[in-house]
Amino acid sequence: MVKLSWKEKYAGILVLLISIIYLLMQLASLVGERSGPYSIQNGSFVINKNEAFSDLKTYSVILAGIIAGWCLLKGKRLGWMLGLPILLFITAVIGTITVEQVLKAKKFDNSMIGFGVGIFLLLLAILFLLLPSARQKYRVSKGVLLLTLLLFIGLGGAYMFLQ
């Protein structure tokens, strides 16, 4: 097993933490819904297609994040391949929300500091995974890098088109 530095451990813990928080938010949303995406009407089980797709993409990202975080902490290449796209995607989502809020408010106020700190922490983890030492520990070749980039594009595409 490869000895990981604190940088790789930080990235693994961050991916795992994001996935667990995302899971808890999804469970809270599921428990708190009154109408529900799944219901029984006139003796038939009815599924809202949009909600089913939304749940599918959410749970797949949560599962991939938990696997990625665990594998990153174990020094496995799969963790790098799954963790980096998740970090990039979450950074893009938080960045989009931040820009949207700034444009809506037409100013940058104190409530935006949390978004800035979140983006900084995510960018730090991304940088740590892209360092040559981390790429060497996770045995990342150009082919693996290309596959990871395609996975990131697929993740973004799934979120855009499965709404």
Side-chain angles (χ1 to χ4, degrees):
M1 189 166 128
V2 177
K3 177 98 168 103
L4 300 177
S5 72
W6 67 271
K7 297 172 187 176
E8 289 94 16
K9 290 178 183 177
Y10 167 76
I13 290 170
L14 187 62
V15 170
L16 201 55
L17 187 64
I18 288 170
S19 300
I20 290 170
I21 290 171
Y22 200 21
L23 175 64
L24 292 174
M25 287 174 34
Q26 184 67 16
L27 291 175
S29 172
L30 194 62
V31 169
E33 287 185 9
R34 297 198 190 277
S35 64
Y38 314 102
S39 61
I40 296 178
Q41 296 176 352
N42 299 332
S44 298
F45 183 66
V46 179
I47 300 174
N48 183 337
K49 185 174 80 170
N50 292 336
E51 292 293 329
F53 281 141
S54 177
D55 286 350
L56 175 69
K57 66 184 178 182
T58 299
Y59 291 124
S60 63
V61 169
I62 290 169
L63 182 63
I66 291 172
I67 292 170
W70 183 259
C71 288
L72 275 170
L73 293 173
K74 292 292 183 184
K76 304 220 182 269
R77 185 184 314 167
L78 179 64
W80 196 92
M81 290 174 58
L82 290 175
L84 188 62
I86 289 172
L87 287 171
L88 289 168
F89 179 71
I90 297 297
T91 303
V93 168
I94 292 176
T96 304
I97 291 170
T98 304
V99 168
E100 183 180 292
Q101 292 297 324
V102 167
L103 292 177
K104 188 188 310 181
K106 302 222 185 321
K107 63 180 175 161
F108 189 84
D109 58 359
N110 291 337
S111 64
M112 297 295 136
I113 292 175
F115 287 117
V117 169
I119 290 173
F120 174 74
L121 294 175
L122 288 165
L123 287 175
L124 204 58
I126 291 167
L127 176 71
F128 289 160
L129 287 179
L130 290 175
L131 288 174
S133 62
R135 289 193 324 243
Q136 185 179 18
K137 286 178 187 173
Y138 290 109
R139 302 175 320 278
V140 177
S141 63
K142 289 182 182 180
V144 170
L145 191 60
L146 181 63
L147 185 60
T148 303
L149 180 61
L150 289 174
L151 187 59
F152 170 62
I153 292 169
L155 182 64
Y159 256 76
M160 291 176 78
F161 295 117
L162 288 180
Q163 288 189 6

